[in-house]
């Protein structure tokens, strides 16, 4: 098991955003975490990345507890995140954004190859290499945010609503890329409100509702589940 | 020619303000703090240079470089002890702490070394050049050239180096920076080191220029450099440099026109005017974000 979340609870002051959830991610999987606004999805990812300390519970990565580790240590251990809303660095060029993704890496030769891989996967980023990242379109910014996180050479990539606010053509492209990332050996934990898409590419999935996991199963099982159909697929 | 003369005087004074303003603006950029103790770091730089030259008989350039290193360390220590523990506190708390640090440095130095001014050693013989009816000293040239070289170096560090890029990344989005492994605390320390080193250089150069240093010497230039940073657009590096030169020139011209008594007032008048007509500063623009 690559990642194991055990009885995780996270509070913001008195607000309980995540209330004792359990789930796991195996190596090589795409696992989707779906749920409505405010369900606690982003909070869960923030806890995994070390941006917020859980109130209770454990996060095990390769059987090591990481819930108290610094975000820097977590990234160097192999977990990077594409945050909700992309959060590329405006004022830095596209190339500099990618370089920041490789901030902790020492393997220079491999880093060079990874730039080439990123540019192959996202040709538009190469075209815009020297442009201020703030001038990119929303879809291009999403690609940059993904490229930046991939430059950290993660074993586990956390994606927070990568399809948010994108046109359908971009959405399809983003999901294709996620599958490709998996094929290249990176495990993916995907958060989405676009449940149909997220579950269709997922090996397994979990449904989060007001801070609790209410359903779990393979992607196909959840897609055909009545409750999921009603609540998230408009069926 | 009188105007050219004043322009030269203004530029060399302005380059000192510019060096100081850069420190204000970088620290503001990264932790949104007006570091009121910044002018006092400049004072410490001048004192350290004074001791290096007097006690160890080093030359001017050695004194300058050693003071820069000393101030870089001082800046990092101040941030670590005074500001870092307040990282998640309201901004006003940190601001008041900065004022406290400033008092501590000013009064501590007055207590330890007395508040009376002392002569800065003439580590370099002053030579005046006269041409086209204007007069310029080698020290003025040294200040201007050194400042410009330091500003170019700073620009290269910020634009080209890994830590410089991290500084810019943390300034715009610390959380996103964390998500790819940038250590925000280290980056903030680095920023303080850079800004304080520039203040140290400014302190040593002003000691040489005015020939006099005292524990309160950082107060007025500190405030003027802050005004310069706001004038150029706080948080913007080129803005701070521009603002510093503008303030230096305005001050010198006001003085040359015979209004010496009003030269500080003129600087504050600029602050008020800029806050009213262009609060984002000369180079500042209203920022917009794509979602
Ligand atoms: N910084 C914060 N301070 C206080 N409450 C917060 C904070 N961030 C999130 N919350 C609250 O925690 C709960 C979970 O938020 P979270 O952002 O994890 O939801 P989400 O599932 O990611 O939602 P969305 O799909 O809208 O992004 C919400 O009720 C939210 O209001
Ligand atoms: Mg969210």
């Amino acid at each position: 098991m690559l990642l194991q979340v055990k009885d995780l609870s996270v509070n913001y002051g008195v607000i309980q955003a995540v209330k004792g959830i359990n789930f796991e991610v195996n190596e090589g999987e795409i696992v989707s975490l779906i749920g409505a606004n405010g369900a606690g999805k982003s909070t869960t990812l923030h806890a995994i990345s070390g941006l917020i300390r859980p109130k209770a519970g454990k996060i095990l990565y390769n059987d090591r507890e990481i819930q108290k580790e610094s975000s820097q240590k977590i990234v160097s251990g192999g977990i990077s995140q594409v945050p909700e809303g992309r959060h590329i660095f405006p004022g830095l060029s596209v190339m500099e954004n990618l370089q920041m993704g490789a901030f902790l890496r020492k393997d220079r030769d491999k880093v060079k190859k990874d730039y080439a891989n990123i540019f192959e996967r996202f040709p538009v980023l190469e075209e815009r290499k020297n442009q201020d990242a703030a001038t990119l379109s929303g879809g291009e910014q999403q690609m940059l945010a993904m490229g930046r996180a991939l430059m950290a050479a993660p074993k586990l990539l956390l994606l927070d609503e990568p399809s948010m606010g994108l046109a359908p053509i971009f959405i399809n492209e983003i999901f294709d890329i996620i599958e490709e990332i998996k094929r290249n050996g990176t495990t993916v934990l995907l958060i989405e409100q676009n449940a149909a898409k997220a579950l269709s590419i997922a090996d397994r999935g979990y449904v989060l509702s007001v801070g609790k996991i209410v359903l779990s199963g393979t992607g196909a099982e959840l897609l055909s589940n009545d409750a999921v159909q009603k609540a998230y697929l408009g069926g | 020619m009188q105007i050219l003369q004043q322009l030269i005087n203004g530029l060399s004074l302005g380059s000192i303000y510019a060096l100081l303003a850069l420190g204000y603006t970088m620290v503001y950029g990264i932790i949104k703090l007006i570091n009121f103790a910044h002018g006092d770091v400049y004072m410490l730089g001048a004192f350290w240079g004074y001791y290096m030259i007097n006690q160890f008989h080093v030359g001017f350039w050695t004194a300058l470089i050693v003071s820069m290193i000393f101030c870089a360390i001082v800046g990092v220590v101040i941030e670590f002890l005074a500001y870092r523990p307040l990282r998640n506190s309201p901004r006003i708390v940190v601001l008041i702490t900065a004022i406290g640090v400033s008092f501590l440095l000013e009064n501590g130095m007055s207590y330890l070394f007395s508040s009376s001014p002392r002569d800065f050693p003439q580590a370099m013989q002053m030579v005046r050049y006269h041409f086209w009816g204007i007069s310029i000293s080698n020290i003025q040239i040294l200040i201007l050239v050194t400042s410009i070289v330091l500003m170019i170096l700073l620009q290269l560090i910020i634009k080209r180096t890994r830590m410089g890029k991290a500084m810019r990344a943390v300034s715009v989005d610390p959380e996103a920076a964390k998500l790819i492994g940038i250590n925000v605390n280290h980056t903030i320390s680095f920023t303080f080191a850079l800004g304080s080193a520039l203040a140290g250089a400014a302190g040593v150069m002003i000691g040489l220029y005015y020939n006099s240093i005292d524990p309160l010497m950082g107060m007025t230039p500190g405030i003027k450099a802050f005004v310069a940073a706001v004038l150029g657009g706080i948080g913007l590096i080129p803005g701070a440099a521009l603002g510093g030169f503008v303030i230096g020139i305005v001050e010198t011209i006001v003085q040359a026109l015979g209004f010496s008594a009003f030269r500080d007032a003129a600087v504050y008048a600029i602050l008020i005017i800029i806050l009213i007509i262009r609060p984002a500063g000369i180079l500042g623009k209203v920022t917009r974000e794509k979602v």
Side-chain angles (χ1 to χ4, degrees):
Chain A
M1 227 172 298
L2 189 61
L3 185 81
Q4 195 176 8
V5 171
K6 281 187 173 170
D7 301 318
L8 182 75
S9 296
V10 186
N11 285 16
Y12 294 104
V14 294
I15 300 167
Q16 290 182 287
V18 173
K19 306 168 185 167
I21 61 171
N22 290 282
F23 68 92
E24 70 251 349
V25 181
N26 297 308
E27 198 153 355
E29 284 185 320
I30 294 178
V31 172
S32 292
L33 202 59
I34 61 170
N37 288 116
K41 307 182 296 294
S42 298
T43 305
T44 304
L45 284 202
H46 281 166
I48 297 172
S49 283
L51 288 193
I52 183 166
R53 295 277 166 247
K55 178 165 174 289
K58 284 181 183 161
I59 301 169
L60 298 168
Y61 174 64
N62 280 326
D63 298 321
R64 194 181 80 236
E65 289 190 24
I66 59 163
Q67 72 274 5
K68 292 205 176 80
E69 275 183 2
S70 69
S71 50
Q72 184 188 6
K73 189 125 188 266
I74 290 168
V75 175
S76 64
I79 304 179
S80 68
Q81 183 184 148
V82 181
E84 183 177 334
R86 333 198 207 294
H87 288 263
I88 48 99
F89 299 121
L92 274 70
S93 70
V94 168
M95 190 64 198
E96 287 171 334
N97 268 270
L98 293 176
Q99 288 166 349
M100 288 296 95
F103 186 78
L104 290 176
R105 292 179 61 187
K106 304 270 184 304
D107 46 344
R108 295 257 167 97
D109 297 339
K110 184 78 185 3
V111 168
K112 269 206 186 122
K113 269 191 209 132
D114 284 352
Y115 288 127
N117 290 338
I118 299 280
F119 288 144
E120 198 178 320
R121 195 172 287 161
F122 307 105
V124 64
L125 296 184
E126 182 159 31
E127 280 162 38
R128 307 282 157 90
K129 199 155 82 169
N130 299 315
Q131 211 165 301
D132 183 339
T135 63
L136 298 184
S137 76
E140 291 161 353
Q141 289 192 8
Q142 183 61 49
M143 292 176 186
L144 178 57
M146 290 173 76
R148 185 180 63 182
L150 287 171
M151 280 311 298
K155 294 189 188 70
L156 174 62
L157 181 66
L158 311 176
L159 293 165
D160 196 343
E161 302 202 31
S163 77
M164 188 172 75
L166 300 186
I169 178 162
F170 267 120
I171 295 184
N172 289 333
E173 197 174 340
I174 293 286
F175 280 98
D176 287 346
I177 290 164
I178 296 171
E179 291 192 283
E180 195 188 320
I181 290 171
K182 172 190 163 177
R183 277 198 300 277
N184 289 339
T186 303
T187 308
V188 176
L189 175 56
L190 170 65
I191 281 187
E192 264 300 335
Q193 292 207 37
N194 189 334
K197 277 269 177 204
L199 291 174
S200 68
I201 66 164
D203 295 289
R204 292 183 308 105
Y206 296 87
V207 179
L208 197 60
S209 170
V210 272
K212 289 192 173 133
I213 285 180
V214 291
L215 270 174
S216 64
T218 65
E221 281 166 8
L222 289 175
L223 267 178
S224 57
N225 180 292
D226 285 347
V228 174
Q229 290 265 343
K230 273 216 182 69
Y232 303 103
L233 302 171
Chain B
M1 280 309 112
Q2 186 56 20
I3 190 85
L4 192 61
Q5 176 73 59
Q6 295 314 325
L7 212 59
I8 288 170
N9 294 347
L11 279 177
S12 65
L13 182 63
S15 61
I16 296 289
Y17 293 149
L19 287 181
L20 276 177
L22 286 165
Y24 275 106
T25 227
M26 285 192 285
V27 165
Y28 184 85
I30 205 152
I31 55 171
K32 308 291 172 272
L33 165 73
I34 305 295
N35 180 17
F36 277 111
H38 191 58
D40 303 301
V41 172
Y42 151 93
M43 175 270 292
L44 289 177
F47 269 78
W48 190 262
Y50 169 95
Y51 274 100
M52 289 306 295
I53 296 170
N54 269 357
Q55 304 292 316
F56 299 101
H57 308 289
V58 303
F60 171 76
W61 295 108
T62 313
L64 184 84
I65 289 167
V66 175
S67 280
M68 288 177 73
I69 296 169
F70 170 75
C71 286
I73 296 168
V74 168
V76 170
V77 170
I78 290 175
E79 190 278 324
F80 183 80
L81 293 178
Y83 307 147
R84 188 170 301 180
L86 302 173
R87 191 76 86 231
N88 299 315
S89 307
R91 273 159 72 178
I92 185 78
V93 175
V94 195
L95 195 70
I96 290 168
T97 305
I99 295 172
V101 172
S102 170
F103 281 151
L104 179 75
L105 294 177
E106 286 166 13
N107 293 323
M109 286 298 285
S110 298
Y111 177 77
L112 291 175
F113 298 97
S114 102
S115 55
S116 44
R118 47 188 77 207
D119 293 341
F120 196 86
Q122 283 316 85
M124 200 171 276
Q125 199 59 46
M126 161 113 73
V127 183
R128 284 205 157 272
Y129 306 106
H130 302 271
F131 51 94
W132 306 334
I134 59 175
S135 153
I136 180 165
S137 77
N138 59 336
I139 294 177
Q140 281 181 310
I141 296 173
L142 175 143
I143 290 178
L144 192 57
V145 172
T146 309
S147 302
I148 289 172
V149 168
L150 288 175
M151 286 183 226
I152 292 170
L153 280 178
L154 176 74
Q155 191 67 8
L156 287 176
I157 291 174
I158 291 174
K159 288 283 176 205
R160 298 280 168 79
T161 69
R162 173 172 172 271
M163 279 312 284
K165 290 171 194 171
M167 241 176 89
R168 288 187 282 143
V170 171
S171 293
V172 292
D173 201 329
E175 297 247 300
K178 281 185 187 173
L179 291 177
I180 44 172
I182 296 176
N183 187 318
V184 170
N185 280 334
H186 288 178
T187 312
I188 292 170
S189 296
F190 181 77
T191 308
F192 271 84
L194 279 185
S196 305
L198 294 181
V204 174
M205 290 195 291
I206 211 73
L208 191 66
Y209 188 45
Y210 285 154
N211 204 349
S212 159
I213 60 171
D214 69 89
L216 301 185
M217 66 182 275
M219 289 173 79
T220 311
I223 293 171
K224 286 178 183 164
F226 162 63
V227 174
V230 174
L231 175 65
I234 188 100
L236 302 173
I237 304 241
L242 178 67
F245 285 117
V246 170
I247 296 286
I249 290 169
V250 167
E251 194 184 315
T252 326
I253 287 177
V254 168
Q255 192 171 11
L257 293 174
F259 302 111
S260 286
F262 297 101
R263 58 175 214 184
D264 293 352
V267 173
Y268 303 126
I270 292 177
L271 177 64
I272 293 167
I273 293 167
I274 199 81
L275 288 177
I276 293 169
I277 62 169
R278 209 176 156 84
I282 301 175
L283 300 184
K285 48 179 183 264
V286 185
T287 49
R288 64 202 163 86
E289 263 172 49
K290 273 208 182 92
V291 268

